[in-house]
Amino acid sequence: AGTTVKLTIKRNGSVLTIDVARAKISLKAVSGSIHKNTKLGIITITSFSRGVAQSFLDTVNSLVAQGARGLVIDLRNNPGGFLDEVVSMLNNYVPKGSKILSTKYGDKSTEMVFSTGPGNLADIKTTILVNRGTASASEIFAGVLQDYGMAKIIGAQTFGKGTVQQLLNYGDGSSFKVTIAKWLTANDMDIEKVGITPDIKIADDETTTLTDEVLEKGLQEILNEL
């Protein structure tokens, strides 16, 4: 950070030289706002990186303090991340002692994960926005809340990554990522290469439009229940 790198770029037949200053960039994985017309909270989660569970809870509490009557959680193009982070987030929804998910290993053994509570967000009206870029930990979050009927899923069929990887590091500095298990939602749904089927399907349109149809539907579904 603080040093400069010189980039030589060939574009449309001409060559450009650009000096770029290196810097440490902190990407905010969780952001929230109040929708001015509906007074509903909108939370966008771009990945399940370290600290996301606490950032999510802090954002929810802030929006509720501002008068949010419900939450739209946008997981579109969220590729996933750490399993323990999404489990911590689901502890805020799923009642203590209830099953969150299970993992099945190659030796046929099964490990179940149960909520440790407090389930403090279970009564907040919630919709979740997804698309084909919603994968892995994002699918766990959406799928478990769908299983418990705590959120309506809106958008396009998700990616379908239902496996668990482990990163092995070696003394020479190399590493190897290996698939060690398959995870299933609370209702034992296997989403590998299938994905989460939305409650309300809206095509995953990559074109730019003036109206975010998926977001508008997410807001409307909450308003219909208030």
Side-chain angles (χ1 to χ4, degrees):
T3 61
T4 301
V5 61
K6 188 181 296 292
L7 303 180
T8 302
I9 301 171
K10 185 176 182 180
R11 179 186 300 158
N12 297 327
S14 62
V15 177
L16 307 175
T17 301
I18 302 174
D19 291 332
V20 178
R22 295 184 177 98
K24 289 186 177 180
I25 307 297
S26 297
L27 298 178
K28 192 174 182 181
V30 182
S31 59
S33 62
I34 296 288
H35 189 261
K36 61 180 180 180
N37 295 329
T38 64
K39 301 303 180 183
L40 299 178
I42 301 174
I43 299 178
T44 300
I45 306 174
T46 58
S47 71
F48 285 89
S49 52
R50 286 296 177 208
V52 160
Q54 186 59 54
S55 295
F56 171 74
L57 185 58
D58 292 343
T59 302
V60 171
N61 289 336
S62 174
L63 295 176
V64 170
Q66 296 175 60
R69 301 182 295 161
L71 297 175
V72 176
I73 302 175
D74 194 345
L75 298 182
R76 288 175 292 180
N77 298 316
N78 183 323
F82 292 102
L83 180 63
D84 55 344
E85 291 290 336
V86 71
V87 169
S88 294
M89 285 174 58
L90 287 167
N91 284 335
N92 294 300
Y93 284 92
V94 180
K96 185 176 181 179
S98 297
K99 181 180 173 184
I100 289 181
L101 57 86
S102 61
T103 51
K104 289 192 174 183
Y105 295 88
D107 61 2
K108 309 302 181 183
S109 63
T110 300
E111 179 181 343
M112 289 188 286
V113 178
F114 297 92
S115 173
T116 59
N120 52 304
L121 303 182
D123 295 329
I124 295 182
K125 300 296 183 183
T126 302
T127 55
I128 298 176
L129 313 184
V130 299
N131 65 2
R132 61 189 176 211
T134 302
S136 192
S138 299
E139 293 174 292
I140 294 175
F141 187 79
V144 171
L145 292 190
Q146 186 182 52
D147 282 354
Y148 279 101
M150 294 180 176
K152 280 188 177 179
I153 313 302
I154 301 171
Q157 194 82 7
T158 63
F159 182 82
K161 183 181 180 297
T163 55
V164 181
Q165 281 78 42
Q166 184 178 43
L167 187 65
L168 305 176
N169 297 308
Y170 297 97
D172 64 356
S174 63
S175 58
F176 179 64
K177 180 179 280 190
V178 58
T179 298
I180 60 170
K182 179 180 289 187
W183 62 262
L184 308 175
T185 68
N187 286 347
D188 293 326
M189 179 172 59
D190 181 358
I191 63 97
E192 177 67 13
K193 298 181 180 179
V194 176
I196 302 293
T197 300
D199 298 296
I200 300 174
K201 290 186 177 182
I202 299 177
D204 189 9
D205 189 359
E206 295 294 342
T207 60
T208 302
T209 61
L210 295 177
T211 303
D212 187 337
E213 184 181 354
V214 180
L215 174 59
E216 292 300 321
K217 188 63 176 176
L219 294 167
Q220 189 58 52
E221 284 300 310
I222 296 178
L223 294 176
N224 291 343
E225 297 182 13
L226 292 176

